[in-house]
Amino acid sequence: MRGFRAGLRCRSPLVLVVAAGLLVPVLLLLQWVFASGAWSKVPLEYWLAADDRDNANRYVAWTVGRLKADPPDRPVLVLLGGSTAREATVEGGDSLAAVVRREGGPLLSGWNLATSLQTYAENLAIVDNLPGTTPTTVVIGVSPGRFTSDFVAAARQLEGRGLMLWSDSLSRYLDREYSLVNRGFTVLPGALGMVANNVAASTRMLAKGEMATGSYTQHRLDDRPVKSEEAKRDVLMNWWRVRRPQFRENVGFNMALLDELVRASPRRGFGVVLVELPRNSEMIGTLWDGVDRRYQPGVRAIADRHGIVYLNFNRGLGLRSDDFFDYGHMRRSGRVVWEARLARELARLYGSRPMVEGM
């Protein structure tokens, strides 16, 4: 350590040049390891933060890396979206794929790759990294909350600070539309930040005599007490106060990004379906009518322009407020109903529209 510190204090130009020459190939190797998906050969449990029950971004990035490095034999079905999409399937993407099959659709490999506050920029990164050798359907969830993220969040994704995935499509889009060039072309800031956080968390856990590996829980709310209707309304009104101004400011930016996402998916050979994510219509009532008028016609126009399907079946499901934890996160009773309806629609589309499957 004394020698290492002495090296850091060295001011010799020759030593600094040699150090830089050694650093560059190491950084290039690390960039390849994370951008190629090779890092996913290390089991997921070692990448999950030991003190984080969420771990969703790490789970999704690792899963996409594993799919990229080792594509499945079956056609792939992927659900993308925010936390209401994450809570919308009974058992990851496996249960959705199983119901599609039961409804007469093909045998699929299903994945729920939704995360809390997931952005369309992160979806572009996922689409860019899914294996292009396997027929793939990307189901993109839309909701008012998905139109609240801003330009800063999209730019951060270029450094792997959202999902630890590099996206050529996002880089080209932000450069073309906003003259933002990511000159580093690297996800190392996000990757190194993830590693540093994991090391720090593992150190803390080991110091307490606890296990240093983490876990991923899809349904984070299931072990929490069910909220009263008054508490649910409080959550909804908090969304209205905090997220509605963000929606009004960023709906145009996100609509354009969604359009780019829908364009990018067929370029990879993927089929695309848009779906309105679950909502507690009984509790929301007419509160979101104005919000719906701001984004739903734009989503429908994107679907029509690109010849894809936009599903919006929430009002016809007969779900009650008791099926939800709040304004949109479903309990198991709601998931079973919503997942079954989505699966039935997808099975029908697989049979009538080959382009849904991609390739």
Side-chain angles (χ1 to χ4, degrees):
M1 287 300 296
R2 285 196 299 271
F4 182 75
R5 288 194 293 269
L8 291 177
R9 291 194 297 271
C10 180
R11 295 294 182 266
S12 168
L14 180 59
V15 172
L16 294 176
V17 168
V18 171
L22 293 173
L23 180 62
V24 169
V26 171
L27 292 177
L28 290 175
L29 176 62
L30 285 175
Q31 166 67 11
W32 175 84
V33 166
F34 286 104
S36 68
W39 67 287
S40 66
K41 292 183 178 180
V42 177
L44 174 62
E45 62 189 75
Y46 295 107
W47 295 107
L48 300 178
D51 57 353
D52 186 353
R53 284 189 68 252
D54 192 336
N55 273 316
N57 282 354
R58 293 177 176 88
Y59 165 79
V60 169
W62 184 93
T63 299
V64 173
R66 194 85 297 272
L67 290 170
K68 184 177 183 180
D70 187 16
D73 296 329
R74 300 173 182 173
V76 172
L77 173 63
V78 169
L79 175 63
L80 304 178
S83 56
T84 54
R86 173 176 166 174
E87 300 285 344
T89 59
V90 175
E91 189 66 37
D94 292 338
S95 57
L96 177 60
V99 182
V100 170
R101 179 63 171 170
R102 191 165 66 239
E103 293 289 338
L107 188 62
L108 302 168
S109 179
W111 303 92
N112 185 332
L113 299 181
T115 62
S116 299
L117 303 177
Q118 190 173 85
T119 67
Y120 294 125
E122 292 170 344
N123 291 169
L124 264 175
I126 291 173
V127 166
D128 268 1
N129 285 275
L130 289 172
T133 57
T134 305
T136 298
T137 304
V138 180
V139 180
I140 303 169
V142 297
S143 67
R146 299 221 67 202
F147 291 87
T148 60
S149 65
D150 59 13
F151 174 84
V152 173
R156 283 173 59 84
Q157 175 54 43
L158 286 178
E159 298 180 342
R161 294 184 184 275
L163 294 177
M164 209 284 298
L165 299 167
W166 169 252
S167 174
D168 285 327
S169 296
L170 179 61
S171 178
R172 289 194 300 268
Y173 174 76
L174 293 180
D175 183 23
R176 182 178 72 246
E177 299 295 329
Y178 302 97
S179 300
L180 177 67
V181 180
N182 181 30
R183 300 184 183 277
F185 296 100
T186 178
V187 294
L188 285 183
L192 296 178
M194 177 183 69
V195 171
N197 289 339
N198 283 9
V199 170
S202 296
T203 300
R204 289 194 297 269
M205 300 298 281
L206 288 172
K208 298 176 183 178
E210 300 175 1
M211 294 292 294
T213 55
S215 61
Y216 168 68
T217 302
Q218 178 188 353
H219 302 305
R220 298 180 304 156
L221 303 178
D222 280 5
D223 58 354
R224 299 182 186 180
V226 177
K227 295 180 182 294
S228 65
E229 290 303 305
E230 182 179 0
K232 291 179 184 179
R233 283 192 291 272
D234 287 343
V235 175
L236 174 63
M237 296 314 299
N238 184 65
W239 189 99
W240 187 255
R241 288 190 298 270
V242 176
R243 305 290 297 282
R244 181 169 173 257
Q246 297 171 350
F247 171 88
R248 295 169 65 179
E249 182 176 354
N250 298 305
V251 61
F253 168 75
N254 283 288
M255 193 67 68
L257 199 50
L258 174 61
D259 186 71
E260 181 65 20
L261 172 60
V262 172
R263 291 176 187 273
S265 298
R267 288 200 298 263
R268 300 284 333 276
F270 302 159
V272 186
V273 176
L274 300 176
V275 62
E276 195 71 34
L277 292 174
R279 62 170 63 181
N280 186 346
S281 299
E282 183 179 44
M283 185 186 68
I284 294 172
T286 61
L287 182 64
W288 278 2
D289 284 1
V291 171
D292 290 345
R293 287 192 291 270
R294 284 290 304 275
Y295 83 92
Q296 289 184 350
V299 174
R300 194 169 296 110
I302 289 173
D304 292 343
R305 185 160 57 248
H306 297 287
I308 64 174
V309 173
Y310 171 32
L311 301 172
N312 188 356
F313 47 71
N314 284 317
R315 289 193 180 275
L317 286 182
L319 293 177
R320 305 296 302 272
S321 186
D322 288 345
D323 296 311
F324 292 83
F325 285 102
D326 48 37
Y327 60 85
H329 302 92
M330 289 188 296
R331 301 172 64 189
R332 181 178 174 83
S333 59
R335 291 176 203 135
V336 171
V337 175
W338 194 90
E339 180 183 72
R341 178 60 183 272
L342 175 60
R344 188 159 58 249
E345 295 287 348
L346 291 175
R348 178 179 60 82
L349 291 172
Y350 276 116
S352 63
R353 299 169 65 96
M355 57 78 62
V356 171
E357 191 172 356
M359 296 187 65

